[in-house]
């Protein structure tokens, strides 16, 4: 029965990793990202779309649907990232630890952190002009007033109110989570409609703390956006075995695609035995990001001298 864990654990880890990815980075599901389990070549250009909107009209004289115009946007799958997990023979046969959850959480954190880092590289002056789309605030001064002002800016630019989120560094997150209104939620019933503590949802924004948020040469300390501000695409790396490149070479690994059926989010899983009799699992994906609807993004930067 010792081999049962060795057969079962890696597949469970891969599926659980997808579950954790959705929990760690839920806003990724709102960015018009084309999740796919189709093989994608590194550097391949993928066309994704931002849905057009339909205007309301007086229907007393009848119904007349206007033409919808969806915007095609190219995304280059420029990132080929993976994380690997090794189980020794002793661990697989004798441990009582919960290997599935232990390793799934770690794998998801590494993949999600890298994904956010690549996303944040887009937030530069060339993509979202700081002259017209930046709020200057000392990180220690972030509070409810800051969020209400940012919300107003996005509303005036007619950014969709659906799928709003923020990514901030640890100094900003500390200030926001210490805001008087946030800390008084349990005793302030008026705050319940706008605030939740877990996850932190403030003034309609799901807020993610990203400790290594890059400054991007503009003193960036956060960004708030609506769905469509960034677009992206993900897929799985092309499997060399499936391509017929090595038909004469024995296949020493089991390769399969693990898919989250609800979202289409997928990872390529490679399983192979190690020289010591253990198992190594590699989880990989290919993805890319591109600038979306510029008005849907508000950059947050330190006060400029």
């Amino acid at each position: 029965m010792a081999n049962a864990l060795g057969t079962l654990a890696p597949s469970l880890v891969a599926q659980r990793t997808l579950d954790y990815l959705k929990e760690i980075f839920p806003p990724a599901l709102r960015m018009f990202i084309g999740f796919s389990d189709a093989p994608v070549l590194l550097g391949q250009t993928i066309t994704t779309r931002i849905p057009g909107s339909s205007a309301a009209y007086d229907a007393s004289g009848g119904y007349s649907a206007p033409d919808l115009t969806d915007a095609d946007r190219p995304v280059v799958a420029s990132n080929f990232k993976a994380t690997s997990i090794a189980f020794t023979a002793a661990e697989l046969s004798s441990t009582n630890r919960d290997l599935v959850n232990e390793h799934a959480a770690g794998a998801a954190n590494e993949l999600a952190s890298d994904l956010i880092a690549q996303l944040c590289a887009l937030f530069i002056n060339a993509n979202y002009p700081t002259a017209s789309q930046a709020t200057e605030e000392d990180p220690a001064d972030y509070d409810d007033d800051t969020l209400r002002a940012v919300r107003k800016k996005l509303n005036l630019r007619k950014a969709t109110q659906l799928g709003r989120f923020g990514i901030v560094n640890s100094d900003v997150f500390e200030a926001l989570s210490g805001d008087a209104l946030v800390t008084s939620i349990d005793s302030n019933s008026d705050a319940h409609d706008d605030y939740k503590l877990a996850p932190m949802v403030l003034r309609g924004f799901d807020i993610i703390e990203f400790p290594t948020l890059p400054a991007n040469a503009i003193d960036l300390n956060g960004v708030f956006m609506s769905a469509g501000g960034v677009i992206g695409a993900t897929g799985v790396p092309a499997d060399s075995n499936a391509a017929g490149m090595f038909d004469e070479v024995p296949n020493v690994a089991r390769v399969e695609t693990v898919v989250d059926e609800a979202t289409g989010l997928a990872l390529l899983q490679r399983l192979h035995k190690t020289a010591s009799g253990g198992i190594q699992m590699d989880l990989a994906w290919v993805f890319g990001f591109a600038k979306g609807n510029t008005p849907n993004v508000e950059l947050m930067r330190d006060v400029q001298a």
Side-chain angles (χ1 to χ4, degrees), residues 20-209:
Y20 277 119
L21 275 172
K22 291 192 298 181
E23 293 179 16
I24 292 174
F25 196 35
L29 307 179
R30 307 176 182 176
M31 289 190 295
F32 298 132
I33 289 183
F35 292 123
S36 173
D37 59 354
V40 176
L41 299 176
L42 182 63
Q44 178 179 337
T45 297
I46 304 169
T47 298
T48 187
R49 294 172 178 81
I50 296 180
S53 59
S54 176
Y57 63 94
D58 183 355
S60 58
Y63 296 105
S64 177
D67 293 334
L68 294 176
T69 303
D70 292 349
D72 288 351
R73 298 293 175 87
V75 177
V76 178
S78 56
N79 300 280
F80 177 11
K81 299 301 178 74
T83 186
S84 297
I85 302 168
F87 299 90
T88 67
E91 288 173 332
L92 293 172
S93 62
S94 63
T95 186
N96 289 321
R97 291 158 48 200
D98 187 352
L99 292 174
V100 174
N101 281 314
E102 286 181 19
H103 292 83
N109 185 68
E110 290 301 316
L111 291 173
S113 294
D114 181 76
L115 185 82
I116 297 174
Q118 302 304 322
L119 166 66
C120 289
L122 286 176
F123 302 130
I124 59 177
N125 186 63
N127 290 333
Y128 305 96
T130 55
S132 58
Q133 291 183 228
T135 294
E136 295 184 5
E137 187 93 23
D138 187 288
D141 294 335
Y142 275 69
D143 56 14
D144 180 61
D145 290 339
T146 308
L147 296 177
R148 289 190 295 111
V150 171
R151 179 174 178 169
K152 179 180 179 180
K153 283 187 174 183
L154 291 175
N155 288 344
L156 291 175
R157 293 202 293 263
K158 298 184 178 181
T160 175
Q161 297 191 37
L162 300 176
R164 289 186 173 179
F165 66 97
I167 302 173
V168 300
N169 65 22
S170 294
D171 291 335
V172 172
F173 192 90
E174 180 183 32
L176 285 174
S177 59
D179 179 80
L181 184 55
V182 177
T183 56
S184 64
I185 288 176
D186 288 338
S187 60
N188 185 353
S189 60
D190 293 335
H192 288 187
D193 289 339
D194 289 310
Y195 287 88
K196 297 178 183 177
L197 286 179
M200 194 161 80
V201 181
L202 311 179
R203 293 297 179 192
F205 296 100
D206 279 2
I207 299 181
I208 299 171
E209 177 184 6

Side-chain angles (χ1 to χ4, degrees), residues 1-11 87 92-93 99 254 271 279:
M1 296 298 292
N3 289 331
L5 180 58
T7 300
L8 183 61
S11 294
F87 299 90
L92 293 172
S93 62
L99 292 174
R254 189 180 80 197
L271 298 175
I279 290 178

Side-chain angles (χ1 to χ4, degrees), residues 137 169 214-222 300-305:
E137 187 93 23
N169 65 22
N216 287 352
I218 58 171
D219 296 322
L220 188 73
N221 57 37
M300 311 298 291
R301 59 198 305 228
D302 285 344
V303 175
Q304 304 299 293

